[in-house]
Amino acid sequence: MSKTTAGRFFEDYHVGQVIEHAVPRTVGAGERALYHALYPARHALYSSDAFARACGLAASPLDDLIAFHTVFGKTVPDISLNALANLGYAEGRWLAPVWPGDTLRSVSEVIGLKQNSNGKSGVVWVRTQGANQHGQPVLDYVRWVMVRKRDADAPAPETCIPNLASALDAEELIVPEGLDFSAYDFALAGEPHRWGDYAVGEVIDHVDGVTIEEAEHMMATRLWQNTAKVHFDATARENGRLIYGGHVISMARALSFNGLANAQMIVGLNGGAHANPCHAGDTVRAWSEVLDRAETAAPGVGALRLRLVATKGGAAGVLKGEDGRYLPEVLLDLDYWALIPM
Amino acid sequence: MSKTTAGRFFEDYHVGQVIEHAVPRTVGAGERALYHALYPARHALYSSDAFARACGLAASPLDDLIAFHTVFGKTVPDISLNALANLGYAEGRWLAPVWPGDTLRSVSEVIGLKQNSNGKSGVVWVRTQGANQHGQPVLDYVRWVMVRKRDADAPAPETCIPNLASALDAEELIVPEGLDFSAYDFALAGEPHRWGDYAVGEVIDHVDGVTIEEAEHMMATRLWQNTAKVHFDATARENGRLIYGGHVISMARALSFNGLANAQMIVGLNGGAHANPCHAGDTVRAWSEVLDRAETAAPGVGALRLRLVATKGGAAGVLKGEDGRYLPEVLLDLDYWALIPM
Amino acid sequence: MSKTTAGRFFEDYHVGQVIEHAVPRTVGAGERALYHALYPARHALYSSDAFARACGLAASPLDDLIAFHTVFGKTVPDISLNALANLGYAEGRWLAPVWPGDTLRSVSEVIGLKQNSNGKSGVVWVRTQGANQHGQPVLDYVRWVMVRKRDADAPAPETCIPNLASALDAEELIVPEGLDFSAYDFALAGEPHRWGDYAVGEVIDHVDGVTIEEAEHMMATRLWQNTAKVHFDATARENGRLIYGGHVISMARALSFNGLANAQMIVGLNGGAHANPCHAGDTVRAWSEVLDRAETAAPGVGALRLRLVATKGGAAGVLKGEDGRYLPEVLLDLDYWALIPM
């Protein structure tokens, strides 16, 4: 019998199933440096121990998206190896900072199933939790993917569609213990704009573009031990290697520094769509829209709900066509909460 | 007189000569992260401090092949700068784990010489030992290379061909101190297959492929301070940059996770051939064959002798043509011992 | 009003203006490993903790050019985002080693201004100082750039051209505290040549070449948080991405190991010109010329003043044409002081 896995198919999932994902991973100074080499990341809290200490933390944690990619990457062999599409995210919360030297692992629970009408595939909803070596949860999110059936004749499971919030309430966000923006140094952070300067509905064009290379997206994707072959094997698809959607998320988030330099920490993921595929050679740009604002209980710490859009062209603020579908140049539409000084 | 070195030629070697290689190198968290970014490495013992501790080690050591490449890289300026071919390896043993922060250095002894019948080149055998900052040996192996003569008229040295084992006996393998697989967590490691599940003669197709980029193989090769110009200078050879054979070894070993996830640690290198050159754009795949099995004295720790083959196409299990020569799509044929839970 | 910055223009500078640059940065083992992956760096003092300790230091500091690039990178958003050309460097001194874990920040003072005769741009001179988390200066240098005016009709400032030394005197160089080359291990360092072996006027051809890739120069440039869009956005210029001049400096310095392996530490930057643009696909080579020699007060430590030239072809020692202009294949002409055992 074959020793290798071909991944799970739609009929391999059932609601309530708990999957402990393999290969825990210790992350540290090396992952941090690589993250800064792969993306134009400049948020001061993730760049400087001294800045992070001045904000009440013990040191600079690893970037919020390092935590996300690492936890997500562990789930790929069990959840999305045979995925036809990564359909969405919801109810994502960063629960504790990840420090250099921490070891992360992931567990997912299947919380929903719905066979497609064509009988050949279905949608699987999972809630994934990442935890550190102390068993402390660091991240929690729901995602759903469309997965092929192994056998089209297999019976459909009972349909179960989870009831997911369209966005987290600000009260549900977890502010890292000790975080204090009351003595925040705006000059060192790079921009003067504080929470009160952002208006709901405001659109920010982040100006810069980055042309993506094969070597870079593969290094990033491997760093998170994401094994999906479409990202690495140029012979697997007609159009060449498909770039991991998370690479686009990190690129867009880093580009958003210019205009959102003080939106220091991502703490909530309300939703997200990988609107169109991204390939090497594409020049990625980004714009943001302010969706909501909220206060938090932490000193000087406010929260902004932001839409982050990555494109390979087109104007800032333009997302969908008259038909209600994403424009072909839109790569990503992400809805998140970030912490920013009041 | 020129301050630069053109490297040693065949007549510069004599049997018994000891060469202390230059530029000791401290390796750590950064090299580890880069290794994981450059290869789809997922073996849990090298990925997680927590997993390694549960196996009786103090922490996760640096990947066995990081030790190999670092020790090997130091030898390049003295041994293979003028090499026409890297002919083989034998009697390689990992003697102690390499920990983040260790400083490695290499010393080689010339143990064999044989001038080729054309009089223009010859074969040099060296035994290389890598040691850490405490002078403790970490790796020991023999390799032989074909080296150009500076002067075709120089007299041939006395032929001396070392007597090398075709494979290490399992009793000669060094199991890292404290290693204990008796409480091994197969779920976290990623696969259920243990020592007893592998049969001699079994062939495993590792399924996935990775298309290689110039930037990646150059970064890897530089990381080991391997200075051979053919890897970096696109103008040096008609067919462009030749990829360091060790890059193919690490790529194939990482791909072998799928089917050999529990073959955690390489401890012996019986032999190896770089069957055909590898270039950027090639899509590397891998298959393994189980050659032998042995028990060890350490609790729960068995050993598998494996053939690891990297290809750029072709079927798993097919290595040579009717003429007894490697098929043109075969890149690597490596024979090694790995430790695996019983 | 736009939240994003378009960078400063010529009329935004005035002599005496002090600019505190944003985003302090903690550098460590990860940056060190990446530096060694991106450049063929082999100088033993920056490669091995053990070697550095034998030379009287506490450990291996981060490479001198990591300090330079990090300090320089912070200044880009304020100084050179709208620069038409990076015109020169002067009076650069490394003041203290940078250790893994240090957090660097940069401050610049405008020390000169001169509007160009066309009225559309002007030259800005700044003296930049990098400091660590203890406020201790680690690097100090002057550079001048040509910057666009926002409004061609804006009045010209009073011309002020700083009086800069054409080269540092050897007495002005700072030797790191404790540095002692009296027990220097030439075998481990890789070459036998000491201070006294180099003659003023001597030209050294460093032999090797490296063909540059887009992914590599972008990763390097991002690592220093240098945000100039011409390095990243292939659509920004007609000829594609322009490679950060510092990437060429580091590549040439690393290549100079072959012939200058003992020129361990850069401590002074007398001047430098990025003679011609560098693009991916160029094969970079290097040669050096010994310009001066000096003793220092530290035991066994001498200093060499060196010209380091990077080219994409042409012969060693040939820098300018009959018209006194740099030959088209010359990329870099750098004048620096390095410490070398006597």
Side-chain angles (χ1 to χ4, degrees), chain B residues 122-303:
Chain B
V123 179
V124 180
W125 283 260
V126 294
R127 186 180 295 275
T128 297
Q129 187 178 83
N132 64 21
Q133 70 277 20
H134 309 300
Q136 183 187 20
V138 298
L139 176 66
D140 192 299
Y141 66 91
V142 173
R143 78 160 163 145
W144 53 106
V145 292
M146 188 186 302
V147 181
R148 261 196 294 270
K149 288 177 73 176
R150 183 185 290 107
D151 171 11
D153 296 332
E158 196 175 343
T159 292
C160 167
I161 299 178
N163 187 16
L164 298 170
S166 65
L168 290 161
D169 283 337
E171 301 84 56
E172 298 175 275
L173 304 176
I174 306 293
V175 178
E177 206 183 314
L179 191 73
D180 180 346
F181 281 160
S182 51
Y184 189 91
D185 187 329
F186 288 86
L188 276 190
E191 289 184 351
H193 322 301
R194 53 179 76 227
W195 183 81
D197 297 328
Y198 291 89
V200 172
E202 181 176 354
V203 168
I204 302 160
D205 181 347
H206 300 301
V207 181
D208 293 319
V210 172
T211 307
I212 294 196
E213 297 295 315
E214 300 280 17
E216 291 179 337
H217 77 81
M218 291 201 296
M219 288 184 68
T221 307
R222 278 191 212 106
L223 194 57
W224 323 125
Q225 298 181 314
N226 179 332
T227 57
K229 74 159 62 177
V230 294
H231 307 318
F232 302 106
D233 182 347
T235 69
R237 292 169 70 250
E238 210 166 285
N239 297 319
R241 282 163 280 192
L242 179 70
I243 291 177
Y244 163 49
H247 191 64
V248 178
I249 294 177
S250 277
M251 191 61 81
R253 159 73 173 159
L255 288 169
S256 79
F257 178 90
N258 195 346
L260 282 167
N262 297 318
Q264 291 284 355
M265 304 187 90
I266 300 181
V267 289
L269 177 61
N270 298 309
H274 298 289
N276 284 291
C278 181
H279 295 97
D282 288 348
T283 299
V284 175
R285 298 173 195 284
W287 56 269
S288 295
E289 180 185 355
V290 181
L291 298 179
D292 200 359
R293 307 192 317 170
E295 303 188 27
T296 83
V301 180

Side-chain angles (χ1 to χ4, degrees), chain C residues 51-139:
Chain C
F51 191 93
R53 286 191 189 111
C55 293
L57 302 183
S60 177
L62 292 180
D63 197 286
D64 36 51
L65 291 174
I66 292 181
F68 177 76
H69 295 313
T70 305
V71 170
F72 181 100
K74 316 245 125 294
T75 73
V76 167
D78 296 311
I79 307 297
S80 45
L81 218 55
N82 296 307
L84 298 164
N86 199 11
L87 297 172
Y89 306 99
E91 300 184 0
R93 293 194 306 168
W94 278 253
L95 304 168
V98 175
W99 306 104
D102 278 0
T103 299
L104 301 185
R105 45 195 286 191
S106 306
V107 177
S108 295
E109 181 181 350
V110 179
I111 61 168
L113 287 174
K114 179 179 181 300
Q115 181 164 310
N116 286 331
S117 53
N118 65 12
K120 294 181 182 165
S121 57
V123 179
V124 180
W125 283 260
V126 294
R127 186 180 296 275
T128 297
Q129 188 177 83
N132 64 22
Q133 70 277 22
H134 310 298
Q136 182 187 20
V138 298
L139 176 68

Side-chain angles (χ1 to χ4, degrees), chain A:
Chain A
M1 238 232 45
S2 173
K3 291 275 191 318
T4 57
T5 41
R8 282 178 168 81
F9 292 86
F10 182 65
E11 48 282 48
D12 299 326
Y13 298 96
H14 59 267
V15 171
Q17 182 180 8
V18 172
I19 303 172
E20 185 183 26
H21 305 296
V23 193
R25 170 64 173 267
T26 304
V27 285
E31 282 73 14
R32 176 179 168 152
L34 267 162
Y35 194 84
H36 282 86
L38 291 163
Y39 308 107
R42 298 184 71 220
H43 287 90
L45 201 67
Y46 295 121
S47 176
S48 162
D49 282 338
F51 190 94
R53 286 192 189 110
C55 293
L57 302 182
S60 177
L62 292 179
D63 198 285
D64 36 50
L65 291 174
I66 291 181
F68 177 77
H69 295 313
T70 304
V71 170
F72 181 100
K74 317 243 126 297
T75 72
V76 167
D78 296 310
I79 305 298
S80 45
L81 218 55
N82 296 308
L84 298 164
N86 198 11
L87 298 171
Y89 306 99
E91 300 184 0
R93 293 196 305 167
W94 278 254
L95 303 169
V98 175
W99 305 104
D102 278 0
T103 299
L104 301 185
R105 45 195 287 190
S106 305
V107 177
S108 296
E109 181 180 352
V110 179
I111 60 168
L113 287 174
K114 179 180 182 297
Q115 182 165 311
N116 286 332
S117 53
N118 64 13
K120 295 183 182 162
S121 58
V123 178
V124 180
W125 283 260
V126 294
R127 185 180 297 274
T128 297
Q129 187 178 85
N132 63 22
Q133 70 277 21
H134 310 299
Q136 181 187 20
V138 298
L139 177 67
D140 193 297
Y141 66 93
V142 172
R143 76 162 164 144
W144 53 106
V145 292
M146 190 187 300
V147 181
R148 260 195 295 269
K149 289 178 74 176
R150 183 185 290 107
D151 170 12
D153 295 332
E158 195 175 342
T159 291
C160 167
I161 299 178
N163 186 16
L164 298 170
S166 65
L168 290 161
D169 282 336
E171 300 83 58
E172 298 174 277
L173 304 175
I174 305 293
V175 179
E177 206 183 315
L179 192 73
D180 180 345
F181 281 162
S182 51
Y184 189 89
D185 187 330
F186 288 86
L188 277 189
E191 290 183 351
H193 322 300
R194 53 178 77 226
W195 183 81
D197 298 328
Y198 291 89
V200 173
E202 182 176 354
V203 168
I204 303 161
D205 181 347
H206 299 302
V207 181
D208 293 320
V210 173
T211 308
I212 293 194
E213 297 294 315
E214 300 280 17
E216 291 179 338
H217 77 81
M218 291 201 296
M219 289 184 67
T221 308
R222 279 191 211 106
L223 194 57
W224 322 124
Q225 298 180 315
N226 178 332
T227 57
K229 74 159 62 177
V230 293
H231 308 317
F232 302 106
D233 182 346
T235 69
R237 293 168 73 249
E238 209 166 285
N239 297 320
R241 282 162 280 192
L242 179 70
I243 291 176
Y244 163 49
H247 191 64
V248 178
I249 294 177
S250 277
M251 191 61 81
R253 158 72 173 159
L255 288 169
S256 79
F257 178 89
N258 195 347
L260 282 167
N262 297 316
Q264 291 284 352
M265 305 187 89
I266 300 180
V267 289
L269 177 61
N270 299 308
H274 298 288
N276 284 291
C278 181
H279 295 96
D282 288 348
T283 298
V284 175
R285 297 171 197 285
W287 57 268
S288 294
E289 181 185 353
V290 181
L291 298 178
D292 200 0
R293 307 191 318 170
E295 303 189 26
T296 83
V301 180
L304 288 183
R305 183 178 160 202
L306 296 156
R307 177 197 300 279
L308 173 62
V309 177
T311 72
K312 49 180 181 175
V318 185
L319 193 62
K320 296 183 179 177
E322 292 185 2
D323 58 1
R325 300 177 61 179
Y326 285 113
L327 293 169
E329 65 267 23
V330 172
L331 301 171
L332 171 77
D333 178 13
L334 197 80
D335 180 340
Y336 72 101
W337 280 104
L339 301 180
I340 183 168
M342 303 282 288

Side-chain angles (χ1 to χ4, degrees), chain C residues 156-180:
Chain C
E158 197 176 339
T159 292
C160 167
I161 300 178
N163 186 17
L164 298 170
S166 64
L168 290 161
D169 284 336
E171 301 83 57
E172 298 174 275
L173 303 175
I174 306 292
V175 178
E177 206 182 317
L179 191 73
D180 180 345

Side-chain angles (χ1 to χ4, degrees), chain B residues 276-331:
Chain B
N276 284 291
C278 181
H279 295 97
D282 288 348
T283 299
V284 175
R285 298 173 195 284
W287 56 269
S288 295
E289 180 185 355
V290 181
L291 298 179
D292 200 359
R293 307 192 317 170
E295 303 188 27
T296 83
V301 180
L304 287 184
R305 183 178 159 202
L306 296 156
R307 178 197 299 279
L308 173 63
V309 177
T311 73
K312 48 179 181 175
V318 185
L319 192 62
K320 296 182 178 177
E322 293 186 0
D323 57 2
R325 298 176 64 178
Y326 286 112
L327 293 170
E329 65 267 24
V330 173
L331 301 171

Side-chain angles (χ1 to χ4, degrees), chain B residues 3-5 20 22-26 30-31 34 77 103 214-215 218-219 222-223 225 227 229 232-235 241, chain C residues 33 36-42 47-49 187-188 190 193 197-198 202 205 208-211 213 216 258 283 285:
Chain B
K3 290 278 191 316
T4 57
T5 41
E20 186 183 27
V23 192
R25 171 62 173 268
T26 304
E31 283 74 14
L34 267 162
T103 300
E214 300 280 17
M218 291 201 296
M219 288 184 68
R222 278 191 212 106
L223 194 57
Q225 298 181 314
T227 57
K229 74 159 62 177
F232 302 106
D233 182 347
T235 69
R241 282 163 280 192
Chain C
H36 282 86
L38 291 164
Y39 308 107
R42 299 184 70 222
S47 176
S48 162
D49 282 339
L188 276 189
H193 322 302
D197 297 328
Y198 291 89
E202 183 175 354
D205 182 346
D208 293 320
V210 173
T211 308
E213 297 294 315
E216 291 178 338
N258 195 347
T283 298
R285 298 172 195 285

